[in-house]
């Protein structure tokens, strides 16, 4: 009787199920298409970014064209351009104009760096001009004598480093490095390569600090491409993740996660001592003071013995050079008076020009980086004293009275505290 009252009810139920199935299928297809679209877009953006950042083939072509036409020369040229035993490996570049790769030279690992644009002045947030072939490797010119080249180098050092009394020694050291084939003479090609490299602060610092433990050794060069000693661990802390995963990790959580992937505390203390020693090396060194304008974990590394090694020194600049360039810079606020991320001066509101005195010394910036690194997992018996010394270090100002004495005292106290704790362990 009930079926006779509603004869179409049992027919409508399959139709309803069919419609719902179609809706679910359409929903599934829509979200599948959305995932494919978003994934393809992310891959395209990442690939575009990679091809823009990693231009090693272009760099090699420019350098080898110049070498094969006799414009430049250097100890790495033949391996790079003829025998091809100098290989570019993993790309580490963070800016298109500064190419950086892990490489292999014969059987030796190294880091290959190449400039894709001119680096004749410090960059205060403006884009550098594109690399111009007509002026690249234009000095010294044919007919320049060795004495004239030495005068050119001396004048460059005087502008960069100030009027140091021992600049002549540095000039002779540069000529020794420039003589790549060690035949006792600097050819025109070698001189052109050396002149281009001397515009780069990292190369100059590697030569000046070539005997220091924490400075990577220069392995060779060709034009403004150079190869430096490889470092096993290329960041102070953290873990390398695939870029797809990196996209979905919040920056705050990423920083906390990085701190988990660090060596044991005694090994961290040894690495920290290395950074303090490097600060000593560049603080009133043999050829003046250098300022560390980007002290970040990605620029510091260490080897398998947990000795600190600098990975990237391109933002370590001569104090005299930075002061000269920044002092007349127009500014609206203190934010306009910054080089890199860590070299800050103040804006004089009466003249609307940047002052020349950098606010924080290198040691204060190094301690700021080391604070969380060292306090996490620190032994309880020294934690309070360590925290006290680190905060005293961070509070250092360049303008403070007796800053140099205070600088030396804090640095030595920190090193002593750390060494006393690890000196009887295997990690020392």
């Amino acid at each position: 009787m009930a079926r006779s009252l509603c004869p179409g009810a049992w027919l409508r139920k399959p139709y309803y199920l069919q419609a719902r199935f179609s809706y679910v299928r359409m929903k599934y297809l829509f979200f599948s298409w959305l995932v494919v679209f978003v994934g393809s877009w992310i891959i395209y953006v990442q690939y575009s970014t990679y091809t823009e950042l990693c231009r090693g083939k272009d760099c090699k072509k420019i350098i080898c064209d110049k070498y094969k036409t006799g414009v430049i020369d250097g100890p790495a040229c033949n391996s790079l351009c003829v025998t091809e035993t100098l290989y570019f490996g993993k790309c580490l570049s963070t800016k298109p104009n500064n190419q950086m790769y892990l490489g292999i030279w014969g059987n030796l690992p190294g880091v290959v760096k190449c400039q894709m644009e001119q680096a004749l002045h410090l960059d205060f947030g403006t884009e550098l001009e594109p690399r111009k072939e007509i002026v690249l490797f234009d000095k010294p010119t044919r007919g320049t004598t060795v004495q004239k080249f030495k005068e050119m180098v001396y004048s460059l050092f005087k502008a960069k480093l100030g009027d140091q009394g021992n600049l002549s020694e540095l000039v002779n050291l540069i000529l020794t490095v420039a003589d790549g084939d060690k035949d006792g003479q600097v050819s025109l090609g070698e001189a052109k390569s050396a002149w281009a490299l001397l515009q780069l602060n990292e190369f100059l610092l590697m030569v000046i600090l070539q005997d220091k433990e924490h400075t990577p050794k220069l392995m060779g060069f060709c034009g403004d491409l150079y190869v430096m000693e490889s470092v096993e661990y290329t960041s102070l802390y953290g873990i390398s993740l695939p870029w797809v995963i990196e996209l979905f990790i919040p920056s705050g959580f990423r920083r906390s996660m990085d701190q988990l992937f660090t060596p044991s505390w005694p090994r961290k203390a040894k690495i920290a001592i290395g950074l303090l020693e490097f600060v000593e090396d560049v603080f009133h060194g043999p050829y003046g003071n250098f300022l560390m304008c980007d002290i970040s974990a990605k620029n510091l590394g260490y080897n398998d013995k947990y000795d600190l090694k600098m990975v990237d020194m391109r933002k370590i600049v001569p104090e005299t050079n930075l002061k000269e360039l920044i002092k007349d810079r127009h500014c609206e606020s203190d934010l306009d008076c910054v080089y890199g991320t860590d070299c800050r001066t103040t804006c004089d509101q009466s003249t609307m020009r940047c002052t020349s005195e950098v606010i924080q010394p290198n040691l204060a910036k190094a301690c700021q980086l080391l604070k969380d690194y060292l306090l996490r997992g620190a032994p309880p018996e020294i934690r309070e004293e360590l925290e006290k010394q680190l905060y005293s270090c961070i509070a250092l100002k360049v303008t403070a009275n007796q800053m140099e004495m205070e600088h030396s005292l804090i640095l030595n106290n920190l090193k002593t505290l750390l060494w006393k704790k690890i000196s009887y362990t295997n990690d020392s």
Side-chain angles (χ1 to χ4, degrees):
M1 179 68 67
R3 181 174 292 183
S4 64
L5 289 174
C6 302
W10 66 279
L11 293 172
R12 286 196 296 270
K13 191 171 183 181
Y15 174 78
Y16 169 76
L17 290 174
Q18 185 179 6
R20 181 163 180 79
F21 177 74
S22 298
Y23 169 74
V24 171
R25 185 171 61 180
M26 289 297 294
K27 187 177 179 181
Y28 172 77
L29 289 173
F30 171 75
F31 281 108
S32 298
W33 174 84
L34 186 63
V35 168
V36 170
F37 174 78
V38 172
S40 301
W41 179 79
I42 291 173
I43 291 172
Y44 170 76
V45 170
Q46 289 293 324
Y47 178 76
S48 300
T49 304
Y50 178 86
T51 54
E52 181 184 354
L53 284 177
C54 302
R55 300 160 60 191
K57 289 183 179 179
D58 296 336
C59 184
K60 180 179 177 180
K61 183 179 184 305
I62 292 171
I63 292 294
C64 289
D65 285 348
K66 293 295 182 183
Y67 170 63
K68 290 174 181 178
T69 55
V71 176
I72 59 174
D73 201 357
C77 290
N78 188 66
S79 299
L80 179 71
C81 305
V82 181
T83 62
E84 297 189 347
T85 52
L86 175 54
Y87 301 100
F88 287 56
K90 180 182 178 182
C91 177
L92 303 176
S93 307
T94 56
K95 289 186 178 181
N97 58 322
N98 293 322
Q99 293 296 292
M100 181 172 167
Y101 287 81
L102 293 179
I104 299 289
W105 189 358
N107 296 320
L108 297 175
V111 176
V112 184
K113 296 189 178 182
C114 178
Q115 312 307 306
M116 287 301 296
E117 298 181 9
Q118 294 190 95
L120 301 181
H121 60 277
L122 297 182
D123 178 12
F124 289 91
T126 56
E127 291 297 322
L128 295 174
E129 294 181 13
R131 185 172 185 160
K132 299 176 181 177
E133 294 302 316
I134 55 172
V135 297
L136 186 64
F137 308 122
D138 64 327
K139 294 180 181 179
T141 56
R142 187 172 296 278
T144 302
T145 63
V146 172
Q147 183 58 37
K148 179 63 178 175
F149 181 59
K150 290 174 72 171
E151 291 171 5
M152 288 171 58
V153 174
Y154 185 91
S155 298
L156 176 67
F157 287 164
K158 191 172 181 180
K160 276 179 170 280
L161 305 173
D163 197 6
Q164 306 285 331
N166 54 353
L167 288 184
S168 296
E169 296 175 13
L170 183 56
V171 171
N172 292 330
L173 180 59
I174 290 297
L175 261 64
T176 302
V177 173
D179 181 17
D181 56 8
K182 305 304 177 188
D183 63 352
Q185 297 179 334
V186 178
S187 67
L188 181 61
E190 290 172 335
K192 285 180 180 287
S193 292
W195 182 258
L197 288 166
L198 287 175
Q199 315 307 314
L200 310 174
N201 290 313
E202 181 173 57
F203 179 84
L204 177 58
L205 199 58
M206 274 196 295
V207 174
I208 290 175
L209 302 178
Q210 61 180 342
D211 296 326
K212 300 296 184 179
E213 178 184 0
H214 307 296
T215 307
K217 301 295 182 281
L218 178 67
M219 296 171 65
F221 61 87
C222 182
D224 59 357
L225 176 148
Y226 55 101
V227 187
M228 54 195 284
E229 175 187 8
S230 179
V231 180
E232 284 85 350
Y233 302 93
T234 56
S235 182
L236 190 61
Y237 52 72
I239 183 172
S240 179
L241 296 173
W243 59 265
V244 175
I245 298 176
E246 290 273 14
L247 289 172
F248 299 100
I249 299 179
S251 58
F253 179 73
R254 176 63 163 140
R255 286 194 295 272
S256 300
M257 186 176 71
D258 281 344
Q259 290 288 351
L260 296 174
F261 292 92
T262 58
S264 63
W265 191 87
R267 289 170 173 172
K268 287 195 293 185
K270 186 179 181 184
I271 294 167
I273 290 169
L275 178 57
L276 297 175
E277 289 174 345
F278 182 78
V279 169
E280 280 186 295
D281 292 341
V282 298
F283 182 68
H284 293 322
Y287 303 102
N289 189 20
F290 282 75
L291 299 175
M292 301 172 71
C293 295
D294 186 3
I295 301 186
S296 57
K298 62 182 174 57
N299 293 334
L300 311 173
Y302 54 93
N303 60 20
D304 55 359
K305 295 180 180 179
Y306 299 93
D307 297 315
L308 178 103
K309 291 287 184 180
M310 298 302 296
V311 174
D312 194 339
M313 302 188 294
R314 284 176 290 195
K315 284 293 193 293
I316 302 179
V317 300
E319 182 179 29
T320 301
N321 194 19
L322 180 62
K323 284 184 173 182
E324 193 64 30
L325 288 167
I326 204 173
K327 69 178 182 180
D328 293 323
R329 181 174 174 80
H330 176 76
C331 61
E332 300 290 336
S333 69
D334 291 350
L335 295 175
D336 298 319
C337 302
V338 181
Y339 174 66
T341 56
D342 296 317
C343 286
R344 303 170 182 273
T345 71
T346 56
C347 180
D348 187 341
Q349 294 296 321
S350 62
T351 61
M352 305 303 286
R353 300 286 175 182
C354 295
T355 58
S356 61
E357 203 67 52
V358 175
I359 298 170
Q360 264 193 320
N362 294 333
L363 182 59
K365 292 176 280 192
C367 288
Q368 182 66 57
L369 175 67
L370 292 174
K371 178 171 70 70
D372 293 337
Y373 187 71
L374 283 176
L375 290 179
R376 185 181 183 89
E381 61 271 22
I382 69 162
R383 182 183 172 84
E384 184 178 348
E385 178 62 23
L386 178 60
E387 186 173 13
K388 178 183 174 182
Q389 290 195 25
L390 284 170
Y391 276 107
S392 296
C393 176
I394 293 169
L396 272 174
K397 299 291 182 185
V398 170
T399 53
N401 292 332
Q402 299 181 323
M403 192 278 291
E404 290 191 23
M405 184 183 298
E406 201 174 345
H407 180 286
S408 299
L409 184 63
I410 289 175
L411 191 148
N412 287 329
N413 285 344
L414 262 174
K415 284 175 59 179
T416 301
L417 179 66
L418 295 173
W419 266 125
K420 282 176 68 176
K421 190 61 188 173
I422 68 170
S423 57
Y424 298 107
T425 68
N426 292 332
D427 298 300
S428 64

